[in-house]
Structures are given as C-alpha cells and as structure tokens.
C-alpha cells in the first residue's frame, strides 16, 4: 500500500467504526467550527475578500452567514476560510493542523445537498479529521514550520476530500483516488515575517480543492496514489513516518479553543490566569517573559503594534494586554488591536525558547510565564490549556462559547441540534436553520447516498 491508500483506509475505518462517543465528539466540533464561521463573517478581512469571489447559479448554495448564491466549491472555500479567521477553531496539537476549518464546512455542505443524516455527516467529519491529522503526523506536524510549511494548508485538502468521499459513498479505491487528486496540489507556505491575509486564504482553498477532488474521483478522474511516497518526500525533505498506532480516532485528541489567538499563547494565557488567581497581575512598567517551545516561535511574535488583526492574533503583547483588560477571550479584542483601535499598556512582553518545553512538544504545547515587577519575579508553568483533550470544555462551556459567537436571531434552537448532530434524520433543515432561512419544504425526497451534489457538476462532454 502507498501512504495515501493507507491514509484513505484509515479514514474510512475511522468513519465507519465511530462509536457513540466519537459521534458525539464530532457534533461538538461541528458546533464549535460553525460558530467560528458565523463569527468570521464580521472579521475585517471578510468585507475585503468576499466581493472578489464569483457568484454562482441562482440555485447555488450560499455560505453560512452570507446571502449570495455561490458555486458549491466556492461556498466551501468561504466557510472554511471564515472558520479560521479568528484563530478560534479546533486544533490538533501533535499534528499542528486545524481540522475543523477544512473538514466541517465541506461535510455540512455536501451532507445538506445529499439530504444525508446527521449520523452520516458526523461519520464523515470523523473520517476527514482522521485523514488530515494522520497525513500531517506522518510528515512531522509542527516540524514542518521550520521548513516554511503550514501543515493545515499542506494537508487540508485530504481532510475535506475524505469527508466528501465518505458522504458520496466512495469505495476504498475511489477514496484513495480522491485523496490522490487532493494531494496533487499540496502546498502552503508559512511566512517568516508578516502573515497577512494570504495565510487564511490557504485554508479555504485547500478545503475547496479537497471537496472537488472527491467529486472528481466519483466522476472517474484519476491520479497517482504514490504522491506522498516519492514526490512529497522529496519536496518536504523528509520521508513519511510509520502510521500512528491504532486506537481512538484522531478527532478525540483535537482541542476546542478557549482563546481566539495563536495556539502557543493559550498555555501562556492559562498561566497568567493562574498568576492572577494568586494576586499577580501585570501592570504598566512590568515585564512579562513567555517561554515557549522553539517550533512555536515560528508563528507568534511579541510585537506591541500589530499591523492588522492577523498579526494581533499572533502577538503575545496583545494577548497579555487582553488578559490584563479581561478581554483575552473576545475576538473583537484582537481585531481592534490590529486595526489601531487602542494603544496597549506599557508592559514589556518578551518571547524566548525553552529547551525543557521542546522536549515535551508537540504532545504538550506548554508555556512558562514570568512576571517581573520592581525586581520581584512570579512564575507559572502550564502544559495544558482549557479546551485541550486533557482538560476539555464541558458542553455548557462549549454552548456558551458558541452562543457568544453566533450573532443569528433565534440561534438558540440550532445550537443543541448541531451539538447532537448524530440524532438528526436530515442535515438539510439543520443547515438551513444555521443559515437563518426556512428549511427544505417537507416532502422533498432525499437524494440517495452516493449521488454527487447537483451544484457545480462537471459539464457533459462537448
């Protein structure tokens, strides 16, 4: 077997074998991701970017939070991009990928178009997470940062392809082909200076291409399944590692975030909360030193004057100021800081690498925070942040997060439906409710499993 066929088989097995606990976890990730999508519609980037995208046919799907009909893959691209704009979407730490953004929108759009059941969509989400996480793990996960690659962009198309393949009912060979087609455009460079808007656009493009790839495989298109064995090994400068040990699906080891900022800052913010509980709070004139794993320093900074919201979400100075102001959990804090909305307090924030944390990374994205005030130092070390698999959010905490992010009139009824996704008989009315429009009229027959979506089908020959 090739690496791609191994990943395809693992993905299919994870989806088909998902037990009630895994299906419930999928519902939690769907709720969390789609809340991030809706929040992302008000991000400053959305207003500049959405008008650049093509309109679709009048009967095409509109992305959640928008009204214009789009082509099917464009709608996937929009939702996947919006999901990641505030850095609040799920993250699998050991692989350094954001699987929710690239998998969940694709699964919900395809599932609604096929009138798939909630359980079918939940299984597709499990399958998609398994594919993108496993691919990144086999090629080094966070170690790819040092070579300039962003793992989510690099392997994200495999996740959406696997989820779509699951819903289309593709067999094992066709699923392998879907992932091969998705792998044919692998890429996604991580900037070494200014992340900019391009960083976020990569996420959506990967998700859209993966969805298209599964539908292309369903239509009979072909690709080499050895792309990760030879070409990717040469391009990435590293051979694939052996498969991950068999066990629980990777979705169970994926974190739901507590703070809308770069993941390395989460354990730092948790350490600051521990210090605050002991009466230690940074004040003007103080210095805050944050020690992180070396690899994590590739995508966070200590810049006190970020150029835009993207830089603000990666700035330790902005995160520390947010903790002081009691707004570190508010996406608007980072947007305002990146738009010049206020001046940060005079607190010096410094980042440094910690070899001790390197030894635990990437299984633990730890941080050590030292607050120095008038020559007195207070220090806390955290290896786990709230929302990590070892300290998961409760359903009540997740519902509170989603409620705060979903600015949709009458949103309360759709939140428990997403959370209990596997109980839904038809995904189409759930997605319609999420969009805030009437559900599909009663009596419309569901599309049989295995039939491709009606939108954006390849034109007939000639």
């Amino acid at each position: 077997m090739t690496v791609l066929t191994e990943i395809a088989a693992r993905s299919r097995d994870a989806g088909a074998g998902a037990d009630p606990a895994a299906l419930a976890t999928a519902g939690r990730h769907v709720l969390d991701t789609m809340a991030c999508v809706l929040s992302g519609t008000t991000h400053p980037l959305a207003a500049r970017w959405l008008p650049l995208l093509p309109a679709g046919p009048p009967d095409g799907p509109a992305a959640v939070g928008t009204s214009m009909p789009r082509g099917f893959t464009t709608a996937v691209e929009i939702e996947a991009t919006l999901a990641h704009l505030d850095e609040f979407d799920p993250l699998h730490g050991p692989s350094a990928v954001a699987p929710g953004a690239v998998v969940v929108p694709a699964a919900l759009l395809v599932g609604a178009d096929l009138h798939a059941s909630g359980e079918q969509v939940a299984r597709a989400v499990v399958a998609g997470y398994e594919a993108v996480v496993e691919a990144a793990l086999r090629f080094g996960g966070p170690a790819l940062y040092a070579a300039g690659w962003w793992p989510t962009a690099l392997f994200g198309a495999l996740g959406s392809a696997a989820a779509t393949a699951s819903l289309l009912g593709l067999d094992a060979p066709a699923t392998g082909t879907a992932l091969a087609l998705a792998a044919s455009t692998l890429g996604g460079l991580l900037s070494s200076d200014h992340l900019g808007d391009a960083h976020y656009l990569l996420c959506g493009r990967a998700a859209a291409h993966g969805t298209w790839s599964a539908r292309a495989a369903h239509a009979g298109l072909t690709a080499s399944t050895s792309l990760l064995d030879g070409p990717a090994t040469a391009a990435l400068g590293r051979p694939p590692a052996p498969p991950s040990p068999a066990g629980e699906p990777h979705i169970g080891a994926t974190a739901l975030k507590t703070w809308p900022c770069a993941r390395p800052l989460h354990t730092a913010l948790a350490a600051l909360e521990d210090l605050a509980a002991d009466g230690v709070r940074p004040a003007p004139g103080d210095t805050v030193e944050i020690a992180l794993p070396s690899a994590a320093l590739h995508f966070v900074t200590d810049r006190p004057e970020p150029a835009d919201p993207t830089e603000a979400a990666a700035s330790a100075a902005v995160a520390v100021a947010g903790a002081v102001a009691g707004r570190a959990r508010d996406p608007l804090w980072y947007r305002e800081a990146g738009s010049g909305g206020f001046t940060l307090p005079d607190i010096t924030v410094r980042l440094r690498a910690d070899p001790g944390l390197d030894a635990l990374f990437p299984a633990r994205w730890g941080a050590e925070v030292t607050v120095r005030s008038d020559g007195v130092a207070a220090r806390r070390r955290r290896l786990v942040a709230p929302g990590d698999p070892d300290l998961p959010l409760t359903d009540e905490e997740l519902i509170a997060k989603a409620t705060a992010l979903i600015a949709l009139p009458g949103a309360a009824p759709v939140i428990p439906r997403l959370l209990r996704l596997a109980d839904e008989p038809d995904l189409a009315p759930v997605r319609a409710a999420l969009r805030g429009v009437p559900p599909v009229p009663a009596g419309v027959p569901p599309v049989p499993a295995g039939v491709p979506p009606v939108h954006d089908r390849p034109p007939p020959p000639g």
Side-chain angles (χ1 to χ4, degrees), residues 236 308 400:
L236 300 177
D308 52 38

Side-chain angles (χ1 to χ4, degrees), residues 137-186:
L137 286 172
R138 295 195 66 173
F139 281 91
L144 291 164
Y145 294 139
W149 298 107
W150 183 33
T152 299
L154 190 60
F155 295 113
L158 302 184
S160 57
T164 304
S166 174
L167 287 163
L168 292 178
L170 300 190
D171 61 17
T175 300
T177 299
L179 268 61
L181 287 163
S184 65
T185 61
L186 290 185

Side-chain angles (χ1 to χ4, degrees), residues 142-313:
L144 291 164
Y145 294 139
W149 298 107
W150 183 33
T152 299
L154 190 60
F155 295 113
L158 302 184
S160 57
T164 304
S166 174
L167 287 163
L168 292 178
L170 300 190
D171 61 17
T175 300
T177 299
L179 268 61
L181 287 163
S184 65
T185 61
L186 290 185
L189 296 175
L190 183 70
S191 173
S192 60
D193 50 17
H194 175 57
L195 286 177
D197 297 333
H199 174 73
Y200 294 105
L201 302 183
L202 290 172
C203 188
R205 290 173 180 171
H209 177 63
T211 301
W212 177 89
S213 296
R215 294 168 63 233
H218 187 276
L221 275 68
T222 63
S224 170
T225 61
S226 67
L227 288 174
L228 296 189
D229 298 86
T233 294
L236 300 177
R238 59 193 311 131
S244 301
E248 294 298 316
H250 288 313
I251 193 170
T254 305
L256 300 178
K257 293 182 175 179
T258 296
W259 291 278
C261 58
R263 174 58 184 85
L265 302 177
H266 288 210
T267 38
L269 287 166
L272 282 170
E273 287 191 349
D274 291 344
L275 287 166
D278 291 339
V280 178
R281 296 176 176 82
D286 291 351
T287 296
V288 177
E289 183 180 85
I290 299 176
L292 297 172
S294 301
L297 296 178
H298 287 289
F299 58 106
V300 293
T301 75
D302 50 18
R303 296 171 190 163
E305 297 180 357
D308 52 38
T310 304
E311 281 199 356

Side-chain angles (χ1 to χ4, degrees), residues 6 8-9 27 39 94 99 108 120 126 128 130 146 192 198 216 275 282 312 317 353 369 384 399-400 402 407 411 446:
E6 288 174 353
S39 177
L108 263 63
Q120 289 175 305
V126 173
E130 197 71 14
S192 60
L275 287 166
V369 175
V384 176
I399 289 170

Side-chain angles (χ1 to χ4, degrees), residues 363-451:
R364 293 285 184 268
W365 290 51
E368 184 173 277
V369 175
T370 303
V371 177
R372 303 183 189 278
S373 179
D374 296 327
V376 178
R379 182 177 291 108
R380 286 294 183 278
R381 187 181 183 92
R382 283 292 296 263
L383 299 178
V384 176
D388 284 355
D390 290 340
L391 193 60
L393 300 182
T394 65
D395 282 356
E396 292 73 21
E397 290 170 332
L398 176 56
I399 289 170
K401 174 185 173 181
T403 301
L405 293 178
I406 297 178
L408 182 69
V414 78
I415 288 177
R417 295 182 73 179
L418 292 172
L419 186 63
R420 312 290 180 226
L421 182 68
D423 296 336
E424 292 293 329
D426 182 355
L427 201 280
V430 181
R431 180 174 162 79
L434 187 62
R435 285 198 57 237
V437 299
V440 176
V444 175
V447 179
V451 177

